[in-house]
């Protein structure tokens, strides 16, 4: 009797387990058979190829066409589009994290980029003249800090007489306070013996604001107090309190054409009430330029510079202008 009972019990238990398993599978959505894809294989292959490029515009264009030509598969196509956007965000986050890590671990002489420009002329015969203009602009952009280093030199000689000999060097660190406001510092050295000073130093610090910051237009302004010391060729020197105002404007007119406008104004006052009238000096440096790209790294630049000193030393003039045509190499 026991031999008959045990096989029957095992058969009943096995049948019950199979029935319970079938019932659980019917009630579990994860075990349901996936819905068949409504996308034809050529359309899916086209979408996969677009996704592999990683180009958002290309993928969006293919998605729009696929949705128009395959209305029954709109939900499936939208899912592919959502998955692509999610993966792109993840890639962007990982890339930003790597870039931030690289910046934080970089050394003092890393991450610098710059541009060097040079222009020259020479003539002989009835008029023997030679001229040279050169400049170097370096920039290091970090997470919160940006450092700018600029150096320029202008030299012109005509019929044995030096008509222009000017050197300028400046260093400007900027700290980004938020998306618009920034704090700046400025240390500047100038030499222009023909204007009457063998050296002029300026120190300034203050607040700036980015009025516009787009892919094609950038406009920022800055304002702050300054101290300026001038050493004259005639002997003697003076140190004055000053105020500095600056304007920087860049406009990308076309893919290879750019308009630039840089302005710095410094207004000085004398150390006593008498010198406010007799020895006050306002200077303005204005540079307007038009740049045209030749290659990815080579650019031509046509610029016009105006320099104004309201009270120049004896023998100097108030206004000085210079037109330049230079070649710029970016690195």
């Amino acid at each position: 009797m026991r031999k008959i009972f045990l096989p029957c019990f095992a058969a009943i238990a096995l049948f019950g387990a199979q029935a319970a398993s079938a019932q659980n599978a019917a009630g579990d959505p994860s075990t349901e058979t996936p819905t068949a894809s409504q996308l034809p294989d050529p359309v899916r292959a086209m979408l996969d190829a677009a996704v592999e490029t990683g180009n958002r515009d290309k993928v969006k264009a293919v998605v729009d066409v696929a949705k128009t030509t395959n209305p029954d598969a709109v939900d499936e196509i939208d899912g592919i589009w959502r998955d692509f956007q999610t993966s792109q965000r993840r890639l962007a986050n990982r890339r930003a994290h790597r870039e931030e890590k690289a910046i934080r671990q970089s050394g003092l002489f890393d991450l610098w980029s710059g541009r060097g420009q040079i222009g020259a002329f020479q003539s002989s015969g009835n008029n023997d003249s030679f001229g040279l203009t050169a400049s170097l602009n370096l920039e290091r952009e970090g997470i919160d800090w940006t450092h700018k280093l600029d150096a320029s030199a202008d030299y012109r000689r005509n019929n044995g007489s030096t008509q222009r000999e000017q050197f300028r060097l400046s260093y400007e660190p900027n700290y980004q306070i938020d998306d618009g406001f920034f704090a700046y510092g400025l240390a500047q050295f100038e030499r222009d013996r023909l204007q009457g000073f063998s050296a002029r130093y300026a120190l300034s610090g203050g607040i700036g604001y980015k009025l516009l910051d787009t892919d094609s237009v950038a406009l920022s302004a800055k304002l702050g107090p300054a101290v300026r010391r001038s050493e004259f060729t005639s002997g003697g020197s003076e140190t004055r309190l000053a105020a500095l105002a600056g304007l920087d404007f860049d406009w990308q007119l076309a893919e290879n054409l750019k308009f630039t406008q840089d302005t710095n104004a410094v207004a000085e006052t004398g150390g006593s009430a008498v010198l406010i009238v007799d020895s006050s000096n306002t200077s303005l440096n204005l540079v307007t330029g038009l740049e045209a790209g030749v290659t990815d790294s080579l650019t031509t630049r046509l610029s016009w510079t105006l320099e104004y000193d309201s009270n120049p030393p004896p023998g100097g003039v108030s206004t000085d202008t210079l037109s330049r045509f230079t070649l710029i190499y970016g690195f």
Side-chain angles (χ1 to χ4, degrees):
M1 186 71 178
R2 181 181 299 177
K3 293 181 180 180
I4 298 174
F5 178 75
L6 289 176
C8 291
F9 180 80
I12 293 172
L14 178 61
F15 177 79
Q18 290 176 341
S21 176
Q23 183 177 1
N24 290 337
D28 187 0
S30 63
T31 62
E32 293 181 357
T33 303
T35 304
S37 174
Q38 300 296 319
L39 272 178
D41 290 341
V43 177
R44 176 170 288 279
M46 181 174 62
L47 286 166
D48 290 342
V51 168
E52 288 180 1
T53 66
N55 188 307
R56 186 183 185 281
D57 294 336
K58 289 183 179 179
V59 177
K60 187 64 168 65
V62 175
V63 164
D64 291 341
V65 173
K67 290 170 66 174
T68 302
T69 56
N70 299 270
D72 294 336
V74 168
D75 292 340
E76 187 175 355
I77 297 171
D78 283 339
I80 294 173
W81 173 240
R82 286 193 298 269
D83 291 343
F84 171 76
Q85 290 179 301
T86 300
S87 65
Q88 290 298 107
R89 284 194 293 269
R90 289 173 180 170
L91 286 174
N93 290 336
R94 287 198 292 267
R95 189 181 303 112
H97 178 72
R98 288 195 301 268
E99 292 176 354
E100 180 177 344
K101 184 178 179 181
I103 291 174
R104 293 190 183 280
Q105 295 179 348
S106 63
L108 179 62
F109 300 102
D110 297 330
L111 304 179
W112 287 92
S113 62
R115 306 193 314 167
Q117 58 179 305
I118 187 169
F121 67 86
Q122 182 177 9
S123 64
S124 61
N126 293 326
N127 184 35
D128 186 8
S129 62
F130 171 79
L132 174 67
T133 178
S135 68
L136 178 64
N137 312 106
L138 299 175
E139 182 172 343
R140 185 183 191 274
E141 186 171 357
I143 299 173
D144 298 317
W145 287 91
T146 300
H147 301 268
K148 297 179 181 179
L149 182 63
D150 297 323
S152 63
D154 288 316
Y155 179 80
R156 186 169 59 211
R157 191 171 179 84
N158 185 40
N159 291 329
S161 173
T162 301
Q163 295 183 334
R164 184 177 181 86
E165 185 181 8
Q166 184 186 62
F167 304 94
R168 177 176 295 166
L169 178 66
S170 66
Y171 167 64
E172 181 178 344
N174 288 350
Y175 178 77
Q176 197 66 37
I177 299 174
D178 60 21
D179 292 339
F181 285 98
F182 62 91
Y184 81 90
L186 178 65
Q188 181 173 285
F189 167 79
E190 296 176 88
R191 179 180 180 181
D192 192 341
R193 300 182 65 86
L194 295 179
Q195 283 292 334
F197 57 89
S198 57
R200 185 158 67 182
Y201 308 89
L203 290 175
S204 178
I207 297 294
Y209 185 74
K210 293 181 180 179
L211 302 170
L212 292 172
D213 189 12
T214 67
D215 292 338
S216 58
V217 180
L219 174 63
S220 63
K222 60 188 176 184
L223 180 67
V227 177
R228 185 159 68 175
R229 176 178 174 82
S230 300
E231 298 178 359
F232 302 108
T233 55
S234 58
S237 62
E238 61 183 13
T239 302
R240 300 181 182 278
L241 296 176
L244 182 145
L247 180 69
D248 187 359
F249 176 62
D250 294 324
W251 182 14
Q252 193 74 41
L253 299 172
E255 182 178 357
N256 292 321
L257 190 63
K258 184 178 183 179
F259 174 82
T260 63
Q261 177 66 69
D262 300 317
T263 306
N264 282 292
V266 178
E268 294 182 350
T269 60
S272 66
V274 175
L275 294 177
I276 291 178
V277 177
D278 295 338
S279 300
S280 63
N281 186 9
T282 299
S283 64
L284 174 68
N285 177 262
L286 184 148
V287 182
T288 302
L290 187 64
E291 299 178 3
V294 179
T295 66
D296 291 341
S297 56
L298 189 62
T299 304
T300 60
R301 176 178 172 85
L302 178 64
S303 64
W304 182 76
T305 302
L306 183 147
E307 295 178 352
Y308 172 77
D309 279 284
S310 63
N311 189 15
V317 296
S318 296
T319 304
D320 195 8
T321 63
L322 180 66
S323 298
R324 298 182 181 95
F325 179 78
T326 55
L327 289 176
I328 303 173
Y329 181 77
F331 55 91

